[in-house]
Amino acid sequence: MGPVLAGVLQLLALTGTLALVHIPLGNHMAKVYSSGRHWRVEKRIYKVIGADPDTEMTWTAYLRAVLAFSAIGVLLLYALQRLQGVLPGSLGFASIDPDQAFNTAVSFVTNTNWQSYYGEQAMGHVVQTAGLAVQNFVSAAVGMAVAVALVRGFARSRSGELGNFWSDLVRGVVRVLIPLAFVAALVLVACGVIQNFSGIHEVGQFTGGPQQWNGGAVASQEAIKELGTNGGGYFNANSAHPYENPTPFSNLFEIFLILVIPFSLTRTFGVMAGSVRQGYAILATMATIWLGFVSLMMWTEFSHHGPAFELAGGAMEGKEVRFGVGGSSIFAVSTTLTSTGAVDSFHSSFTGLGGGITLLGMMLGEIAPGGVGSGLYGMLIMAVIAVFIAGLMVGRTPEYLGKKIGTRQIKLAALYILVTPALVLVFTVLAMALPTPPHSMTNSGAHGFSEILYAYTSASNNNGSAFAGLNADTQWFNTTLGVCMLLGRFVPMVFVLALAGSLAGQQPVPATAGTLRTENPLFTGLLVGAVLVITGLTYFPALALGPLAEGLA
């Protein structure tokens, strides 16, 4: 079987499996967030944290709960890292330096999971499991809760209330993420991913001489790392490490875990909004962009010429021979079009245009299908922009799901889409202008610029993957990337929840002959075009200086 055919077959198998689980998982999540019953274990959690799960919240109360919970998470994770040296199960590792502890705490709480440290040489068992793995669950649940709050904003009328954050958070963890992660961990263990709490031991190298490795609860963390679109690896090589991702099947299964909840949430949206066809329109938009990017990535990575490329079956530099060009291309696109950031290859070693595709995927806002929760609310914001553009074209007041898109709504949507480009471009300019940060670059010219641009794009969009070749473990990068993660995660949430509250307070308007239909292929095409045009106009100059210049050279 040729490498191209193998890649296509993997893509078909992945697409088919995602289609099979779309309806049952989407319906299950809609039921979870609409149920009036609380499980016994959930009641105990509410009692411990002192929350009333039946109290409805306005958007400001919901936002305060999100910010308070996340701030506590940052402080606790920071403290765990600073105290690691005196904790049991530390494997002899020292406490983490203040700037790196800040960066890592912010990274995992914001669902970014950017890592400026060597996982197997820095973090002990307690920090990995009680700190990082816990945040993998709750940070994903926060994103899902905010997405559900926005869906309620479209579905409710004249209330201004968006549900209860504590109920949404706990149900997301207990009823969705933990059961799915448990099953996924069992599958990964069966594939050969390790799961233990062993200490450091020496193993032989193929070339001779000893090498030190430590074990860990890798399968359980790997499962939620992908399922929650987190991305932080137990080992420095992330999903290219054989302890985390040993076989081609485990590689395809991890890609499935990355995509399954974001794609299925479109069904949840359709069910909760009272129109399954609206959910299919959003799904079609996400799937069109994802399939298009995968096709482009495979084309650019398979199409290089020359004896070395032909013998290897494509551009194999930086890619695992276990996965090949096809599996690596699907993984790279999926992880950068979501907020995952896990990698099974080095994106810096992709072709110039291939590296540009990973960059552009994050610059879209990671909405195809995007992160767990964040992808859905990001795409719904773009849908609001699209109906506004259509309204301008035909001279009518724009409406979406029966809600008028007026001045307040479009301002909130516009502010949402301006946050991350401002962070990316401003901090990239500062890093390139100051004398110290460029010393971290191992490459000069267009590729070196791409390294800096990729880092701030990854942090601001809460992705977490790295272009490689950049030494980001410095005070400058640890601090500025941490700031980008915080602002890139929580400032957009302010606008999302404000928009949700504004929509929930409206009285739905009946559809008329002039109402734009938003559940048909025409709207899907309009939405795809709006996403690509807005992103292209925003980032094209930066892309032209980096990956485009390198790819066309």
Side-chain angles (χ1 to χ4, degrees):
M1 182 187 298
V4 177
L5 179 59
V8 172
L9 291 177
Q10 289 182 65
L11 181 60
L12 291 175
L14 177 63
T15 305
T17 309
L18 289 168
L20 285 175
V21 301
H22 174 75
I23 292 178
L25 180 55
N27 288 347
H28 170 68
M29 290 189 289
K31 184 178 179 180
V32 165
Y33 290 110
S34 303
S35 173
R37 294 178 58 251
H38 304 297
W39 289 2
R40 183 177 301 176
V41 65
E42 295 170 348
K43 292 179 181 178
R44 291 178 179 174
I45 295 173
Y46 300 138
K47 186 176 182 180
V48 169
I49 64 178
D52 181 0
D54 297 314
T55 301
E56 287 283 334
M57 293 180 172
T58 63
W59 77 266
T60 53
Y62 206 100
L63 176 63
R64 286 196 299 270
V66 169
L67 296 179
F69 178 76
S70 300
I72 292 171
V74 171
L75 293 174
L76 289 177
L77 187 51
Y78 178 85
L80 269 179
Q81 295 176 83
R82 296 290 293 136
L83 295 172
Q84 177 175 250
V86 298
L87 292 175
S90 65
L91 301 177
F93 297 143
S95 297
I96 307 300
D97 293 335
D99 59 302
Q100 191 173 75
F102 163 75
N103 181 279
T104 304
V106 167
S107 176
F108 278 76
V109 171
T110 59
N111 202 244
T112 309
N113 295 40
W114 171 274
Q115 295 171 286
S116 61
Y117 59 89
Y118 295 93
E120 65 268 40
Q121 299 177 22
M123 301 295 183
H125 292 322
V126 172
V127 176
Q128 289 275 20
T129 54
L132 306 185
V134 168
Q135 286 303 322
N136 282 346
F137 281 97
V138 296
S139 65
V142 168
M144 294 167 68
V146 173
V148 168
L150 180 58
V151 174
R152 292 193 185 112
F154 284 109
R156 295 182 175 182
S157 62
R158 303 185 67 84
S159 71
E161 295 173 336
L162 304 176
N164 185 282
F165 168 72
W166 304 110
S167 175
D168 293 337
L169 173 73
V170 172
R171 289 181 180 187
V173 173
V174 173
R175 303 192 195 184
V176 179
L177 295 174
I178 287 180
L180 291 177
F182 180 79
V183 174
L186 293 179
V187 174
L188 290 173
V189 168
C191 291
V193 179
I194 67 170
Q195 180 77 9
N196 57 57
F197 288 100
S198 70
I200 297 175
H201 54 279
E202 287 192 355
V203 296
Q205 299 187 84
F206 180 74
T207 56
Q211 179 173 302
Q212 289 188 333
W213 285 109
N214 57 280
V218 178
S220 56
Q221 188 160 323
E222 191 75 9
I224 188 57
K225 150 192 160 180
E226 312 293 17
L227 191 65
T229 61
N230 297 283
Y234 205 101
F235 299 99
N236 182 54
N238 206 279
S239 290
H241 198 291
Y243 285 179
E244 291 194 30
N245 190 8
T247 67
F249 176 80
S250 68
N251 187 66
L252 197 61
F253 181 66
E254 290 187 13
I255 301 172
F256 168 79
L257 293 178
I258 290 171
L259 300 172
V260 64
I261 291 181
F263 272 132
S264 297
L265 273 172
T266 60
R267 173 76 180 189
T268 305
F269 159 67
V271 172
M272 294 183 67
S275 175
V276 173
R277 295 183 65 185
Q278 296 286 352
Y280 283 135
I282 298 298
L283 172 64
T285 303
M286 293 177 172
T288 298
I289 296 174
W290 176 71
L291 286 170
F293 271 56
V294 171
S295 300
L296 283 174
M297 181 65 83
M298 284 191 176
W299 172 76
T300 188
E301 296 302 300
F302 274 123
S303 65
H304 272 261
H305 302 290
F309 289 115
E310 291 173 2
L311 288 172
M316 280 297 296
E317 180 189 337
K319 300 181 178 68
E320 277 290 328
V321 294
R322 289 172 289 149
F323 313 138
V325 173
S328 299
S329 297
I330 300 171
F331 201 114
V333 169
S334 299
T335 197
T336 50
L337 277 175
T338 63
S339 65
T340 309
V343 293
D344 73 346
S345 55
F346 287 99
H347 294 177
S348 180
S349 293
F350 278 49
T351 61
L353 295 178
I357 292 170
T358 61
L359 255 173
L360 184 59
M362 293 184 292
M363 290 172 173
L364 293 181
E366 297 178 319
I367 53 177
V372 169
S374 62
L376 177 61
Y377 66 65
M379 185 59 82
L380 291 177
I381 293 290
M382 293 305 302
V384 168
I385 298 289
V387 296
F388 178 76
I389 294 171
L392 293 177
M393 291 179 178
V394 299
R396 295 186 61 88
T397 302
E399 302 166 7
Y400 187 56
L401 295 177
K403 301 297 180 71
K404 289 186 177 181
I405 307 302
T407 303
R408 175 175 171 79
Q409 289 75 34
I410 200 62
K411 284 181 178 178
L412 291 170
L415 288 170
Y416 174 92
I417 65 173
L418 288 174
V419 172
T420 48
L423 292 172
V424 171
L425 298 176
V426 168
F427 277 97
T428 299
V429 168
L430 290 175
M432 294 301 297
L434 295 174
T436 302
H439 293 169
S440 295
M441 297 159 49
T442 55
N443 296 280
S444 59
H447 196 84
F449 175 77
S450 293
E451 292 175 358
I452 301 290
L453 179 64
Y454 194 106
Y456 286 106
T457 301
S458 178
S460 302
N461 286 281
N462 302 130
N463 181 270
S465 65
F467 210 47
L470 178 71
N471 175 24
D473 186 16
T474 65
Q475 288 189 354
W476 165 265
F477 281 115
N478 280 332
T479 303
T480 57
L481 290 172
V483 170
C484 286
M485 293 174 210
L486 279 173
L487 297 179
R489 175 71 164 179
F490 296 114
V491 174
M493 282 185 177
V494 174
F495 301 128
V496 170
L497 292 173
L499 176 62
S502 173
L503 294 170
Q506 288 189 26
Q507 175 70 34
V509 295
T512 66
T515 302
L516 174 68
R517 296 181 59 185
T518 55
E519 77 284 1
N520 56 20
L522 178 63
F523 180 73
T524 296
L526 174 65
L527 186 51
V528 171
V531 169
L532 296 177
V533 169
I534 291 172
T535 305
L537 293 175
T538 304
Y539 287 107
F540 181 79
L543 290 170
L545 293 173
L548 287 177
E550 181 182 1
L552 298 175

